[in-house]
PDB file of all heavy atoms in Angstrom:
ATOM      1  N   ARG A 477       0.855  -1.197   0.000  1.00 94.00           N
ATOM      2  CA  ARG A 477       0.000   0.000   0.000  1.00 94.00           C
ATOM      3  C   ARG A 477       0.882   1.234   0.000  1.00 94.00           C
ATOM      4  O   ARG A 477       1.804   1.352   0.782  1.00 94.00           O
ATOM      5  CB  ARG A 477      -0.889   0.000   1.245  1.00 94.00           C
ATOM      6  CG  ARG A 477      -1.869   1.148   1.309  1.00 94.00           C
ATOM      7  CD  ARG A 477      -2.746   1.020   2.531  1.00 94.00           C
ATOM      8  NE  ARG A 477      -3.686   2.126   2.642  1.00 94.00           N
ATOM      9  CZ  ARG A 477      -4.418   2.361   3.713  1.00 94.00           C
ATOM     10  NH1 ARG A 477      -4.351   1.565   4.760  1.00 94.00           N
ATOM     11  NH2 ARG A 477      -5.241   3.383   3.744  1.00 94.00           N
ATOM     12  N   ASP A 478       0.575   2.148  -0.879  1.00 96.00           N
ATOM     13  CA  ASP A 478       1.257   3.446  -0.938  1.00 96.00           C
ATOM     14  C   ASP A 478       0.190   4.470  -1.284  1.00 96.00           C
ATOM     15  O   ASP A 478      -0.209   4.601  -2.432  1.00 96.00           O
ATOM     16  CB  ASP A 478       2.355   3.426  -1.993  1.00 96.00           C
ATOM     17  CG  ASP A 478       3.191   4.693  -1.997  1.00 96.00           C
ATOM     18  OD1 ASP A 478       2.868   5.639  -1.249  1.00 96.00           O
ATOM     19  OD2 ASP A 478       4.177   4.749  -2.752  1.00 96.00           O
ATOM     20  N   GLU A 479      -0.304   5.162  -0.264  1.00 97.00           N
ATOM     21  CA  GLU A 479      -1.424   6.068  -0.448  1.00 97.00           C
ATOM     22  C   GLU A 479      -1.045   7.472   0.008  1.00 97.00           C
ATOM     23  O   GLU A 479      -0.381   7.646   1.026  1.00 97.00           O
ATOM     24  CB  GLU A 479      -2.633   5.579   0.360  1.00 97.00           C
ATOM     25  CG  GLU A 479      -3.883   6.371   0.134  1.00 97.00           C
ATOM     26  CD  GLU A 479      -5.081   5.807   0.896  1.00 97.00           C
ATOM     27  OE1 GLU A 479      -5.059   4.645   1.334  1.00 97.00           O
ATOM     28  OE2 GLU A 479      -6.047   6.571   1.059  1.00 97.00           O
ATOM     29  N   THR A 480      -1.474   8.454  -0.758  1.00 98.00           N
ATOM     30  CA  THR A 480      -1.228   9.857  -0.440  1.00 98.00           C
ATOM     31  C   THR A 480      -2.558  10.591  -0.390  1.00 98.00           C
ATOM     32  O   THR A 480      -3.435  10.345  -1.217  1.00 98.00           O
ATOM     33  CB  THR A 480      -0.329  10.505  -1.520  1.00 98.00           C
ATOM     34  OG1 THR A 480       0.880   9.765  -1.600  1.00 98.00           O
ATOM     35  CG2 THR A 480      -0.020  11.947  -1.185  1.00 98.00           C
ATOM     36  N   ARG A 481      -2.685  11.491   0.575  1.00 97.00           N
ATOM     37  CA  ARG A 481      -3.853  12.359   0.670  1.00 97.00           C
ATOM     38  C   ARG A 481      -3.360  13.800   0.729  1.00 97.00           C
ATOM     39  O   ARG A 481      -2.415  14.103   1.448  1.00 97.00           O
ATOM     40  CB  ARG A 481      -4.664  12.058   1.933  1.00 97.00           C
ATOM     41  CG  ARG A 481      -5.293  10.681   1.943  1.00 97.00           C
ATOM     42  CD  ARG A 481      -6.053  10.467   3.229  1.00 97.00           C
ATOM     43  NE  ARG A 481      -6.631   9.122   3.287  1.00 97.00           N
ATOM     44  CZ  ARG A 481      -7.265   8.643   4.343  1.00 97.00           C
ATOM     45  NH1 ARG A 481      -7.426   9.396   5.426  1.00 97.00           N
ATOM     46  NH2 ARG A 481      -7.747   7.427   4.331  1.00 97.00           N
ATOM     47  N   LEU A 482      -4.007  14.664  -0.027  1.00 98.00           N
ATOM     48  CA  LEU A 482      -3.646  16.074  -0.057  1.00 98.00           C
ATOM     49  C   LEU A 482      -4.844  16.909   0.352  1.00 98.00           C
ATOM     50  O   LEU A 482      -5.987  16.546   0.071  1.00 98.00           O
ATOM     51  CB  LEU A 482      -3.200  16.486  -1.468  1.00 98.00           C
ATOM     52  CG  LEU A 482      -2.028  15.720  -2.056  1.00 98.00           C
ATOM     53  CD1 LEU A 482      -1.796  16.146  -3.498  1.00 98.00           C
ATOM     54  CD2 LEU A 482      -0.781  15.920  -1.225  1.00 98.00           C
ATOM     55  N   GLY A 483      -4.569  18.031   0.989  1.00 97.00           N
ATOM     56  CA  GLY A 483      -5.647  18.918   1.383  1.00 97.00           C
ATOM     57  C   GLY A 483      -5.107  20.307   1.654  1.00 97.00           C
ATOM     58  O   GLY A 483      -3.906  20.560   1.548  1.00 97.00           O
ATOM     59  N   SER A 484      -6.019  21.193   1.992  1.00 97.00           N
ATOM     60  CA  SER A 484      -5.609  22.559   2.325  1.00 97.00           C
ATOM     61  C   SER A 484      -6.573  23.110   3.364  1.00 97.00           C
ATOM     62  O   SER A 484      -7.676  22.594   3.549  1.00 97.00           O
ATOM     63  CB  SER A 484      -5.591  23.447   1.085  1.00 97.00           C
ATOM     64  OG  SER A 484      -6.882  23.554   0.536  1.00 97.00           O
ATOM     65  N   ALA A 485      -6.127  24.152   4.031  1.00 98.00           N
ATOM     66  CA  ALA A 485      -6.952  24.814   5.046  1.00 98.00           C
ATOM     67  C   ALA A 485      -6.552  26.273   5.092  1.00 98.00           C
ATOM     68  O   ALA A 485      -5.429  26.638   4.725  1.00 98.00           O
ATOM     69  CB  ALA A 485      -6.749  24.158   6.407  1.00 98.00           C
ATOM     70  N   THR A 486      -7.469  27.109   5.552  1.00 97.00           N
ATOM     71  CA  THR A 486      -7.174  28.539   5.659  1.00 97.00           C
ATOM     72  C   THR A 486      -6.807  28.942   7.081  1.00 97.00           C
ATOM     73  O   THR A 486      -6.440  30.087   7.314  1.00 97.00           O
ATOM     74  CB  THR A 486      -8.374  29.379   5.182  1.00 97.00           C
ATOM     75  OG1 THR A 486      -9.533  29.007   5.932  1.00 97.00           O
ATOM     76  CG2 THR A 486      -8.613  29.171   3.695  1.00 97.00           C
ATOM     77  N   ALA A 487      -6.914  27.995   8.024  1.00 97.00           N
ATOM     78  CA  ALA A 487      -6.539  28.265   9.414  1.00 97.00           C
ATOM     79  C   ALA A 487      -5.706  27.101   9.936  1.00 97.00           C
ATOM     80  O   ALA A 487      -5.969  25.936   9.591  1.00 97.00           O
ATOM     81  CB  ALA A 487      -7.778  28.447  10.282  1.00 97.00           C
ATOM     82  N   LEU A 488      -4.722  27.396  10.762  1.00 97.00           N
ATOM     83  CA  LEU A 488      -3.855  26.353  11.298  1.00 97.00           C
ATOM     84  C   LEU A 488      -4.650  25.344  12.119  1.00 97.00           C
ATOM     85  O   LEU A 488      -4.400  24.141  12.029  1.00 97.00           O
ATOM     86  CB  LEU A 488      -2.725  26.970  12.130  1.00 97.00           C
ATOM     87  CG  LEU A 488      -1.731  25.980  12.728  1.00 97.00           C
ATOM     88  CD1 LEU A 488      -1.085  25.116  11.645  1.00 97.00           C
ATOM     89  CD2 LEU A 488      -0.663  26.718  13.525  1.00 97.00           C
ATOM     90  N   ASP A 489      -5.602  25.800  12.916  1.00 97.00           N
ATOM     91  CA  ASP A 489      -6.418  24.875  13.711  1.00 97.00           C
ATOM     92  C   ASP A 489      -7.127  23.857  12.824  1.00 97.00           C
ATOM     93  O   ASP A 489      -7.204  22.675  13.160  1.00 97.00           O
ATOM     94  CB  ASP A 489      -7.448  25.624  14.548  1.00 97.00           C
ATOM     95  CG  ASP A 489      -6.830  26.368  15.718  1.00 97.00           C
ATOM     96  OD1 ASP A 489      -5.664  26.084  16.063  1.00 97.00           O
ATOM     97  OD2 ASP A 489      -7.516  27.244  16.294  1.00 97.00           O
ATOM     98  N   ASP A 490      -7.645  24.308  11.693  1.00 98.00           N
ATOM     99  CA  ASP A 490      -8.319  23.400  10.761  1.00 98.00           C
ATOM    100  C   ASP A 490      -7.328  22.422  10.153  1.00 98.00           C
ATOM    101  O   ASP A 490      -7.642  21.243   9.953  1.00 98.00           O
ATOM    102  CB  ASP A 490      -9.027  24.184   9.662  1.00 98.00           C
ATOM    103  CG  ASP A 490     -10.185  25.021  10.187  1.00 98.00           C
ATOM    104  OD1 ASP A 490     -10.712  24.697  11.279  1.00 98.00           O
ATOM    105  OD2 ASP A 490     -10.547  26.005   9.517  1.00 98.00           O
ATOM    106  N   ALA A 491      -6.125  22.886   9.830  1.00 98.00           N
ATOM    107  CA  ALA A 491      -5.098  22.021   9.263  1.00 98.00           C
ATOM    108  C   ALA A 491      -4.692  20.944  10.262  1.00 98.00           C
ATOM    109  O   ALA A 491      -4.552  19.763   9.904  1.00 98.00           O
ATOM    110  CB  ALA A 491      -3.884  22.842   8.839  1.00 98.00           C
ATOM    111  N   VAL A 492      -4.524  21.320  11.520  1.00 97.00           N
ATOM    112  CA  VAL A 492      -4.146  20.353  12.555  1.00 97.00           C
ATOM    113  C   VAL A 492      -5.266  19.340  12.775  1.00 97.00           C
ATOM    114  O   VAL A 492      -5.022  18.141  12.914  1.00 97.00           O
ATOM    115  CB  VAL A 492      -3.787  21.084  13.869  1.00 97.00           C
ATOM    116  CG1 VAL A 492      -3.637  20.100  15.021  1.00 97.00           C
ATOM    117  CG2 VAL A 492      -2.506  21.895  13.691  1.00 97.00           C
ATOM    118  N   ARG A 493      -6.494  19.797  12.771  1.00 97.00           N
ATOM    119  CA  ARG A 493      -7.637  18.895  12.935  1.00 97.00           C
ATOM    120  C   ARG A 493      -7.674  17.867  11.791  1.00 97.00           C
ATOM    121  O   ARG A 493      -7.866  16.675  12.023  1.00 97.00           O
ATOM    122  CB  ARG A 493      -8.931  19.714  12.983  1.00 97.00           C
ATOM    123  CG  ARG A 493     -10.048  19.063  13.710  1.00 97.00           C
ATOM    124  CD  ARG A 493     -11.288  19.941  13.953  1.00 97.00           C
ATOM    125  NE  ARG A 493     -11.301  21.306  13.457  1.00 97.00           N
ATOM    126  CZ  ARG A 493     -10.925  22.381  14.175  1.00 97.00           C
ATOM    127  NH1 ARG A 493     -10.506  22.235  15.408  1.00 97.00           N
ATOM    128  NH2 ARG A 493     -10.984  23.589  13.663  1.00 97.00           N
ATOM    129  N   ALA A 494      -7.473  18.321  10.571  1.00 97.00           N
ATOM    130  CA  ALA A 494      -7.448  17.405   9.420  1.00 97.00           C
ATOM    131  C   ALA A 494      -6.268  16.450   9.516  1.00 97.00           C
ATOM    132  O   ALA A 494      -6.398  15.251   9.231  1.00 97.00           O
ATOM    133  CB  ALA A 494      -7.385  18.202   8.121  1.00 97.00           C
ATOM    134  N   ALA A 495      -5.118  16.958   9.939  1.00 97.00           N
ATOM    135  CA  ALA A 495      -3.927  16.115  10.074  1.00 97.00           C
ATOM    136  C   ALA A 495      -4.152  15.021  11.109  1.00 97.00           C
ATOM    137  O   ALA A 495      -3.773  13.863  10.892  1.00 97.00           O
ATOM    138  CB  ALA A 495      -2.722  16.974  10.451  1.00 97.00           C
ATOM    139  N   ARG A 496      -4.771  15.358  12.218  1.00 96.00           N
ATOM    140  CA  ARG A 496      -5.042  14.351  13.255  1.00 96.00           C
ATOM    141  C   ARG A 496      -6.004  13.278  12.754  1.00 96.00           C
ATOM    142  O   ARG A 496      -5.872  12.107  13.103  1.00 96.00           O
ATOM    143  CB  ARG A 496      -5.588  15.029  14.503  1.00 96.00           C
ATOM    144  CG  ARG A 496      -4.524  15.798  15.253  1.00 96.00           C
ATOM    145  CD  ARG A 496      -5.066  16.422  16.515  1.00 96.00           C
ATOM    146  NE  ARG A 496      -4.020  17.165  17.208  1.00 96.00           N
ATOM    147  CZ  ARG A 496      -4.225  18.182  18.012  1.00 96.00           C
ATOM    148  NH1 ARG A 496      -5.465  18.587  18.244  1.00 96.00           N
ATOM    149  NH2 ARG A 496      -3.224  18.796  18.593  1.00 96.00           N
ATOM    150  N   ALA A 497      -6.961  13.677  11.927  1.00 97.00           N
ATOM    151  CA  ALA A 497      -7.893  12.691  11.355  1.00 97.00           C
ATOM    152  C   ALA A 497      -7.149  11.724  10.433  1.00 97.00           C
ATOM    153  O   ALA A 497      -7.387  10.509  10.476  1.00 97.00           O
ATOM    154  CB  ALA A 497      -9.013  13.398  10.598  1.00 97.00           C
ATOM    155  N   HIS A 498      -6.240  12.239   9.612  1.00 97.00           N
ATOM    156  CA  HIS A 498      -5.438  11.365   8.740  1.00 97.00           C
ATOM    157  C   HIS A 498      -4.521  10.476   9.570  1.00 97.00           C
ATOM    158  O   HIS A 498      -4.357   9.288   9.271  1.00 97.00           O
ATOM    159  CB  HIS A 498      -4.605  12.190   7.761  1.00 97.00           C
ATOM    160  CG  HIS A 498      -5.408  12.929   6.739  1.00 97.00           C
ATOM    161  ND1 HIS A 498      -6.383  12.349   5.963  1.00 97.00           N
ATOM    162  CD2 HIS A 498      -5.368  14.227   6.355  1.00 97.00           C
ATOM    163  CE1 HIS A 498      -6.913  13.247   5.149  1.00 97.00           C
ATOM    164  NE2 HIS A 498      -6.314  14.405   5.374  1.00 97.00           N
ATOM    165  N   ALA A 499      -3.908  11.039  10.614  1.00 96.00           N
ATOM    166  CA  ALA A 499      -3.015  10.257  11.470  1.00 96.00           C
ATOM    167  C   ALA A 499      -3.777   9.132  12.168  1.00 96.00           C
ATOM    168  O   ALA A 499      -3.239   8.043  12.374  1.00 96.00           O
ATOM    169  CB  ALA A 499      -2.329  11.156  12.493  1.00 96.00           C
ATOM    170  N   ALA A 500      -5.031   9.376  12.513  1.00 95.00           N
ATOM    171  CA  ALA A 500      -5.855   8.328  13.125  1.00 95.00           C
ATOM    172  C   ALA A 500      -6.072   7.166  12.168  1.00 95.00           C
ATOM    173  O   ALA A 500      -6.300   6.026  12.595  1.00 95.00           O
ATOM    174  CB  ALA A 500      -7.196   8.901  13.572  1.00 95.00           C
ATOM    175  N   ASP A 501      -5.970   7.431  10.858  1.00 94.00           N
ATOM    176  CA  ASP A 501      -6.081   6.384   9.840  1.00 94.00           C
ATOM    177  C   ASP A 501      -4.732   5.742   9.539  1.00 94.00           C
ATOM    178  O   ASP A 501      -4.622   4.922   8.623  1.00 94.00           O
ATOM    179  CB  ASP A 501      -6.654   6.960   8.539  1.00 94.00           C
ATOM    180  CG  ASP A 501      -8.116   7.337   8.664  1.00 94.00           C
ATOM    181  OD1 ASP A 501      -8.796   6.820   9.577  1.00 94.00           O
ATOM    182  OD2 ASP A 501      -8.589   8.151   7.837  1.00 94.00           O
ATOM    183  N   GLY A 502      -3.676   6.145  10.263  1.00 94.00           N
ATOM    184  CA  GLY A 502      -2.357   5.530  10.075  1.00 94.00           C
ATOM    185  C   GLY A 502      -1.382   6.318   9.226  1.00 94.00           C
ATOM    186  O   GLY A 502      -0.273   5.869   8.964  1.00 94.00           O
ATOM    187  N   PHE A 503      -1.771   7.512   8.788  1.00 96.00           N
ATOM    188  CA  PHE A 503      -0.920   8.325   7.918  1.00 96.00           C
ATOM    189  C   PHE A 503       0.045   9.186   8.733  1.00 96.00           C
ATOM    190  O   PHE A 503      -0.279   9.619   9.833  1.00 96.00           O
ATOM    191  CB  PHE A 503      -1.783   9.269   7.070  1.00 96.00           C
ATOM    192  CG  PHE A 503      -2.521   8.591   5.965  1.00 96.00           C
ATOM    193  CD1 PHE A 503      -3.655   7.839   6.221  1.00 96.00           C
ATOM    194  CD2 PHE A 503      -2.091   8.713   4.651  1.00 96.00           C
ATOM    195  CE1 PHE A 503      -4.341   7.220   5.205  1.00 96.00           C
ATOM    196  CE2 PHE A 503      -2.774   8.105   3.620  1.00 96.00           C
ATOM    197  CZ  PHE A 503      -3.904   7.345   3.896  1.00 96.00           C
ATOM    198  N   THR A 504       1.217   9.450   8.165  1.00 97.00           N
ATOM    199  CA  THR A 504       2.093  10.504   8.655  1.00 97.00           C
ATOM    200  C   THR A 504       1.722  11.742   7.864  1.00 97.00           C
ATOM    201  O   THR A 504       1.557  11.678   6.641  1.00 97.00           O
ATOM    202  CB  THR A 504       3.575  10.156   8.435  1.00 97.00           C
ATOM    203  OG1 THR A 504       3.870   8.963   9.164  1.00 97.00           O
ATOM    204  CG2 THR A 504       4.485  11.272   8.906  1.00 97.00           C
ATOM    205  N   VAL A 505       1.593  12.882   8.552  1.00 98.00           N
ATOM    206  CA  VAL A 505       1.051  14.084   7.910  1.00 98.00           C
ATOM    207  C   VAL A 505       2.000  15.260   8.111  1.00 98.00           C
ATOM    208  O   VAL A 505       2.469  15.511   9.214  1.00 98.00           O
ATOM    209  CB  VAL A 505      -0.334  14.442   8.491  1.00 98.00           C
ATOM    210  CG1 VAL A 505      -0.965  15.582   7.706  1.00 98.00           C
ATOM    211  CG2 VAL A 505      -1.253  13.229   8.523  1.00 98.00           C
ATOM    212  N   TRP A 506       2.244  15.978   7.022  1.00 98.00           N
ATOM    213  CA  TRP A 506       3.052  17.195   7.052  1.00 98.00           C
ATOM    214  C   TRP A 506       2.136  18.383   6.787  1.00 98.00           C
ATOM    215  O   TRP A 506       1.310  18.346   5.873  1.00 98.00           O
ATOM    216  CB  TRP A 506       4.137  17.158   5.990  1.00 98.00           C
ATOM    217  CG  TRP A 506       5.156  16.103   6.234  1.00 98.00           C
ATOM    218  CD1 TRP A 506       6.358  16.255   6.879  1.00 98.00           C
ATOM    219  CD2 TRP A 506       5.094  14.726   5.844  1.00 98.00           C
ATOM    220  NE1 TRP A 506       7.023  15.058   6.920  1.00 98.00           N
ATOM    221  CE2 TRP A 506       6.270  14.096   6.289  1.00 98.00           C
ATOM    222  CE3 TRP A 506       4.154  13.955   5.179  1.00 98.00           C
ATOM    223  CZ2 TRP A 506       6.543  12.752   6.075  1.00 98.00           C
ATOM    224  CZ3 TRP A 506       4.415  12.621   4.968  1.00 98.00           C
ATOM    225  CH2 TRP A 506       5.595  12.037   5.412  1.00 98.00           C
ATOM    226  N   ILE A 507       2.280  19.421   7.593  1.00 98.00           N
ATOM    227  CA  ILE A 507       1.525  20.657   7.409  1.00 98.00           C
ATOM    228  C   ILE A 507       2.514  21.745   7.006  1.00 98.00           C
ATOM    229  O   ILE A 507       3.542  21.929   7.668  1.00 98.00           O
ATOM    230  CB  ILE A 507       0.801  21.091   8.698  1.00 98.00           C
ATOM    231  CG1 ILE A 507      -0.180  20.002   9.155  1.00 98.00           C
ATOM    232  CG2 ILE A 507       0.062  22.414   8.487  1.00 98.00           C
ATOM    233  CD1 ILE A 507      -0.790  20.270  10.521  1.00 98.00           C
ATOM    234  N   TYR A 508       2.212  22.448   5.916  1.00 98.00           N
ATOM    235  CA  TYR A 508       3.060  23.524   5.411  1.00 98.00           C
ATOM    236  C   TYR A 508       2.270  24.821   5.339  1.00 98.00           C
ATOM    237  O   TYR A 508       1.106  24.819   4.933  1.00 98.00           O
ATOM    238  CB  TYR A 508       3.555  23.214   3.989  1.00 98.00           C
ATOM    239  CG  TYR A 508       4.430  21.985   3.899  1.00 98.00           C
ATOM    240  CD1 TYR A 508       3.888  20.743   3.618  1.00 98.00           C
ATOM    241  CD2 TYR A 508       5.794  22.085   4.102  1.00 98.00           C
ATOM    242  CE1 TYR A 508       4.680  19.615   3.533  1.00 98.00           C
ATOM    243  CE2 TYR A 508       6.597  20.959   4.022  1.00 98.00           C
ATOM    244  CZ  TYR A 508       6.037  19.730   3.736  1.00 98.00           C
ATOM    245  OH  TYR A 508       6.827  18.609   3.664  1.00 98.00           O
ATOM    246  N   GLU A 509       2.913  25.908   5.702  1.00 97.00           N
ATOM    247  CA  GLU A 509       2.336  27.226   5.467  1.00 97.00           C
ATOM    248  C   GLU A 509       2.697  27.607   4.037  1.00 97.00           C
ATOM    249  O   GLU A 509       3.849  27.469   3.617  1.00 97.00           O
ATOM    250  CB  GLU A 509       2.904  28.253   6.435  1.00 97.00           C
ATOM    251  CG  GLU A 509       2.294  29.622   6.254  1.00 97.00           C
ATOM    252  CD  GLU A 509       2.829  30.635   7.254  1.00 97.00           C
ATOM    253  OE1 GLU A 509       3.443  30.235   8.257  1.00 97.00           O
ATOM    254  OE2 GLU A 509       2.614  31.824   7.007  1.00 97.00           O
ATOM    255  N   VAL A 510       1.723  28.051   3.282  1.00 96.00           N
ATOM    256  CA  VAL A 510       1.932  28.417   1.883  1.00 96.00           C
ATOM    257  C   VAL A 510       1.997  29.933   1.783  1.00 96.00           C
ATOM    258  O   VAL A 510       1.053  30.629   2.157  1.00 96.00           O
ATOM    259  CB  VAL A 510       0.794  27.876   0.989  1.00 96.00           C
ATOM    260  CG1 VAL A 510       1.058  28.227  -0.469  1.00 96.00           C
ATOM    261  CG2 VAL A 510       0.626  26.377   1.175  1.00 96.00           C
ATOM    262  N   ASP A 511       3.106  30.417   1.278  1.00 93.00           N
ATOM    263  CA  ASP A 511       3.288  31.862   1.084  1.00 93.00           C
ATOM    264  C   ASP A 511       3.275  32.123  -0.410  1.00 93.00           C
ATOM    265  O   ASP A 511       4.184  31.713  -1.132  1.00 93.00           O
ATOM    266  CB  ASP A 511       4.594  32.324   1.715  1.00 93.00           C
ATOM    267  CG  ASP A 511       4.829  33.819   1.568  1.00 93.00           C
ATOM    268  OD1 ASP A 511       3.897  34.541   1.157  1.00 93.00           O
ATOM    269  OD2 ASP A 511       5.953  34.251   1.859  1.00 93.00           O
ATOM    270  N   ARG A 512       2.228  32.783  -0.870  1.00 85.00           N
ATOM    271  CA  ARG A 512       2.109  33.070  -2.307  1.00 85.00           C
ATOM    272  C   ARG A 512       3.134  34.108  -2.742  1.00 85.00           C
ATOM    273  O   ARG A 512       3.573  34.107  -3.872  1.00 85.00           O
ATOM    274  CB  ARG A 512       0.693  33.543  -2.639  1.00 85.00           C
ATOM    275  CG  ARG A 512      -0.355  32.500  -2.366  1.00 85.00           C
ATOM    276  CD  ARG A 512      -0.280  31.388  -3.363  1.00 85.00           C
ATOM    277  NE  ARG A 512      -1.227  30.333  -3.010  1.00 85.00           N
ATOM    278  CZ  ARG A 512      -1.158  29.129  -3.500  1.00 85.00           C
ATOM    279  NH1 ARG A 512      -0.217  28.808  -4.333  1.00 85.00           N
ATOM    280  NH2 ARG A 512      -2.036  28.218  -3.139  1.00 85.00           N
ATOM    281  N   GLY A 513       3.498  35.011  -1.847  1.00 76.00           N
ATOM    282  CA  GLY A 513       4.547  35.993  -2.143  1.00 76.00           C
ATOM    283  C   GLY A 513       4.321  36.741  -3.439  1.00 76.00           C
ATOM    284  O   GLY A 513       3.220  36.828  -3.959  1.00 76.00           O
ATOM    285  N   SER A 514       5.399  37.254  -3.984  1.00 75.00           N
ATOM    286  CA  SER A 514       5.304  38.024  -5.222  1.00 75.00           C
ATOM    287  C   SER A 514       5.878  37.262  -6.410  1.00 75.00           C
ATOM    288  O   SER A 514       5.824  37.735  -7.528  1.00 75.00           O
ATOM    289  CB  SER A 514       6.043  39.352  -5.062  1.00 75.00           C
ATOM    290  OG  SER A 514       7.402  39.101  -4.768  1.00 75.00           O
ATOM    291  N   GLY A 515       6.430  36.087  -6.163  1.00 77.00           N
ATOM    292  CA  GLY A 515       7.014  35.303  -7.251  1.00 77.00           C
ATOM    293  C   GLY A 515       5.981  34.455  -7.962  1.00 77.00           C
ATOM    294  O   GLY A 515       4.785  34.497  -7.666  1.00 77.00           O
ATOM    295  N   THR A 516       6.451  33.667  -8.912  1.00 85.00           N
ATOM    296  CA  THR A 516       5.540  32.816  -9.681  1.00 85.00           C
ATOM    297  C   THR A 516       5.269  31.495  -8.982  1.00 85.00           C
ATOM    298  O   THR A 516       4.273  30.853  -9.267  1.00 85.00           O
ATOM    299  CB  THR A 516       6.123  32.533 -11.077  1.00 85.00           C
ATOM    300  OG1 THR A 516       7.406  31.893 -10.926  1.00 85.00           O
ATOM    301  CG2 THR A 516       6.280  33.809 -11.873  1.00 85.00           C
ATOM    302  N   GLN A 517       6.161  31.072  -8.088  1.00 89.00           N
ATOM    303  CA  GLN A 517       5.992  29.822  -7.366  1.00 89.00           C
ATOM    304  C   GLN A 517       5.763  30.100  -5.887  1.00 89.00           C
ATOM    305  O   GLN A 517       6.462  30.911  -5.289  1.00 89.00           O
ATOM    306  CB  GLN A 517       7.251  28.947  -7.507  1.00 89.00           C
ATOM    307  CG  GLN A 517       7.547  28.515  -8.924  1.00 89.00           C
ATOM    308  CD  GLN A 517       6.487  27.559  -9.451  1.00 89.00           C
ATOM    309  OE1 GLN A 517       5.962  26.733  -8.728  1.00 89.00           O
ATOM    310  NE2 GLN A 517       6.170  27.684 -10.725  1.00 89.00           N
TER     311      GLN A 517
END
């Protein structure tokens, strides 16, 4: 088994809540802050 789940949130509390739900299913979860900045990436 090799499964990936992706998601997004607009608040850190929501991101942590989603991460804990995935972790309860056995996943390791990384949370990243996304900075759109002024560049293209």
Side-chain angles (χ1 to χ4, degrees):
R477 183 177 179 191
D478 186 355
E479 186 177 342
T480 303
R481 295 179 182 175
L482 302 174
S484 63
T486 56
L488 181 57
D489 288 345
D490 294 338
V492 170
R493 205 171 1 267
R496 287 182 180 154
H498 293 310
D501 290 339
F503 286 76
T504 299
V505 187
W506 294 265
I507 300 172
Y508 297 92
E509 182 178 345
V510 182
D511 181 11
R512 297 288 175 197
S514 60
T516 59
Q517 297 293 324

